[in-house]
Amino acid sequence: MQPRFVGRLGVADAVTAANAALGFVAVVAATVDVALAARLVLLAAIADGLDGVLARKYGGTPAGEHLDSLADVASFSVAPAFLVAVVARNAWGFESAWGVVALAACALFVAAGVVRLGLYTAYDTGNDHTEGVPTTLAATLLAAGVLAGVGHPRIVVAALAVLTLLMVSRITYPDLYSRDALAMGAVQAAAVLAPTLGPRLFPRALLAWATAYLLLAPRFYWRGEGKRS
């Protein structure tokens, strides 16, 4: 007897499922090596971009957008939150006041990610923009920060808290042009493959790029007739 998904899912959906699996592996890896977990989160972000490319080339399925949001919960909500929780635990333990605050912040990050992805699936699919910081961007910022050497636990937890608020904000973010998404994917791949090359060149470049998009895209990145005032 064939599995139920045979004939119902496409190649893009297979990549989406791989994205979710990478999120789980990142969680496990965080218990051993935080930097490795960060690299796996970035690898999941590459898979997240690839499934969109494949869906446009070969066609999507009715389940695709739902699978994408479910996978993103694992890779860009749970995995980065767990990564930050490990950083906090290593610094303070969970018995201290700072550890409890960090754990609560990580839990809120996951909750905000779930809400943001649910709202995206319900209201933003098919648009060229979305409200709130995308979970992929939030996870990329946290992972790139860790690989770039931004390892002070208070900075990492504070960044996570800010991104939590931004994910459920009404700030509107335009989708990346295909060429820009491809370029960012290339930098993400370089950060995964050579995170320590030079003075952490690729992670720092990725962190700068993602931060620029976070801060500037709502005002300056709009395309043509879609531009907001």
Side-chain angles (χ1 to χ4, degrees), residues 63-212:
E65 63 189 42
H66 303 286
L67 292 175
D68 190 62
S69 288
L70 289 170
D72 288 357
V73 168
S75 297
F76 310 129
S77 294
V78 175
F82 191 83
L83 186 158
V84 173
V86 170
V87 170
R89 183 203 63 190
N90 291 344
W92 304 311
F94 291 140
E95 300 81 8
S96 68
W98 277 110
V100 171
V101 169
L103 188 60
C106 292
L108 288 173
F109 181 89
V110 173
V114 170
V115 170
R116 190 254 181 274
L117 287 163
L119 292 173
Y120 174 83
T121 303
Y123 299 109
D124 295 343
T125 301
N127 297 333
D128 64 354
H129 61 273
T130 184
E131 287 190 5
V133 169
T135 54
T136 310
L137 177 62
T140 294
L141 284 161
L142 292 170
V146 168
L147 292 176
V150 184
H152 193 290
R154 291 184 184 179
I155 295 176
V156 174
V157 173
L160 175 134
V162 170
L163 291 168
T164 298
L165 294 175
L166 290 177
M167 281 195 295
V168 293
S169 72
R170 289 186 175 273
I171 300 172
T172 305
Y173 280 83
D175 294 342
L176 284 170
Y177 286 106
S178 295
R179 65 173 187 271
D180 295 338
L182 181 61
M184 178 169 278
V187 179
Q188 286 172 325
V192 170
L193 295 172
T196 59
L197 180 67
R200 301 176 187 261
L201 175 64
F202 294 123
R204 289 179 177 178
L206 178 60
L207 180 60
W209 192 330
T211 301

